[in-house]
């Protein structure tokens, strides 16, 4: 009997193969399957305000290089996560070289507000709270937790992305989750 993870990997594998043949509906399936997890990973790396830009660049590269990918669904998931990480690191390096000039306040006040429904606000608040807690972790622990728990990669693929040993990734994730547990307990008492 297949686990949910194995079924998702099989679905992703089939969709990737079809997308490589030019099936747009299959690419849409790939996108819908991976986008939420990759967005969470990008948020952990560059913050919520920059994550969409990083992920847009990542999806452009994924679409451009899709024909080059060889492997199964889990491998594709890892391949996409590595692309997101590389685009995020590029983004961080670019911003260090070119600091942004602050916007004039009058320009900010004239910008239209994004659509705001109560459901979106609650979803965002929950996600932002969780990501704020993860952001309090040391970077290695935060990335390990995000890749394993949010993105859904196994330790071997996460280790490949991070350039670490599998045991080091598992240890970092374990320590990160233990620390998150303490942070959640602290925030419940305040």
């Amino acid at each position: 009997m297949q686990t949910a993870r194995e079924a998702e990997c099989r679905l992703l594998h089939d969709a990737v193969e079809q997308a490589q043949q030019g099936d747009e509906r299959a690419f849409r399936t790939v996108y819908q399957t991976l986008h939420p997890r990759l967005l969470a990973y990008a948020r952990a790396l560059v913050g919520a305000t920059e994550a969409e830009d990083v992920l847009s660049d990542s999806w452009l590269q994924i679409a451009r290089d899709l024909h080059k990918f060889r492997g199964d669904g889990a491998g594709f998931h890892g391949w996409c996560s590595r692309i997101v990480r590389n685009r995020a690191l590029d983004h961080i390096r670019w911003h260090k070289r070119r600091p942004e000039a602050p916007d004039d306040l009058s320009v900010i006040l004239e910008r239209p507000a994004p659509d705001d429904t109560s459901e979106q606000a609650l979803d965002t608040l929950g996600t932002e709270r969780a990501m704020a807690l993860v952001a309090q972790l040391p970077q290695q622990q935060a990335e390990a937790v995000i890749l394993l728990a949010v993105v859904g990669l196994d330790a071997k693929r996460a280790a490949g992305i991070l350039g670490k040993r599998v045991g080091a990734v598992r240890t970092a994730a374990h320590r990160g989750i233990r620390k998150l547990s303490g942070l959640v307990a602290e925030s419940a008492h305040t």
Side-chain angles (χ1 to χ4, degrees):
M1 184 163 200
Q2 271 190 342
T3 66
R5 183 181 173 96
E6 290 169 338
E8 183 180 89
C9 284
R10 185 70 210 160
L11 170 77
L12 189 57
H13 174 75
D14 293 345
V16 167
E17 282 187 341
Q18 293 168 7
Q20 286 175 321
Q21 301 299 319
D23 186 335
E24 290 179 23
R25 199 172 342 169
F27 188 81
R28 193 173 312 119
T29 298
V30 169
Y31 178 87
Q32 290 170 339
T33 301
L34 295 180
H35 185 78
R37 294 175 186 167
L38 295 176
L39 179 58
Y41 185 40
R43 282 181 175 160
L45 295 171
V46 297
T49 57
E50 305 293 325
E52 288 288 344
D53 289 342
V54 167
L55 206 51
S56 292
D57 290 343
S58 300
W59 278 112
L60 286 172
Q61 183 177 347
I62 291 165
R64 184 191 69 219
D65 295 343
L66 182 63
H67 68 282
K68 296 178 184 178
F69 175 76
R70 300 290 176 259
D72 61 3
F76 185 75
H77 197 166
W79 183 73
C80 291
S81 297
R82 180 179 294 278
I83 289 171
V84 170
R85 185 170 196 265
N86 290 341
R87 294 297 65 78
L89 294 174
D90 289 347
H91 185 82
I92 291 166
R93 282 190 291 268
W94 186 83
H95 276 288
K96 283 182 180 177
R97 285 193 315 260
R98 296 191 62 169
E100 253 181 61
D103 282 330
D104 178 56
L105 285 180
S106 63
V107 174
I108 294 172
L109 294 174
E110 292 175 10
R111 291 183 185 164
D115 292 338
D116 188 16
T117 65
S118 60
E119 187 175 315
Q120 286 176 326
L122 290 174
D123 286 346
T124 301
L125 182 61
T127 301
E128 286 179 2
R129 182 172 180 264
M131 296 315 272
L133 289 173
V134 171
Q136 293 179 38
L137 299 175
Q139 183 168 348
Q140 289 182 3
Q141 291 177 11
E143 280 197 80
V145 168
I146 293 293
L147 286 172
L148 296 176
V150 178
V151 177
L153 296 179
D154 60 27
K156 182 179 179 184
R157 295 192 194 288
I161 291 167
L162 297 174
K164 305 280 183 193
R165 293 183 336 272
V166 173
V169 170
R170 284 189 182 126
T171 300
H174 175 73
R175 288 179 179 159
I177 289 171
R178 195 171 58 209
K179 187 167 184 171
L180 281 174
S181 175
L183 292 172
V184 168
E186 280 178 27
S187 69
H189 287 67
T190 58

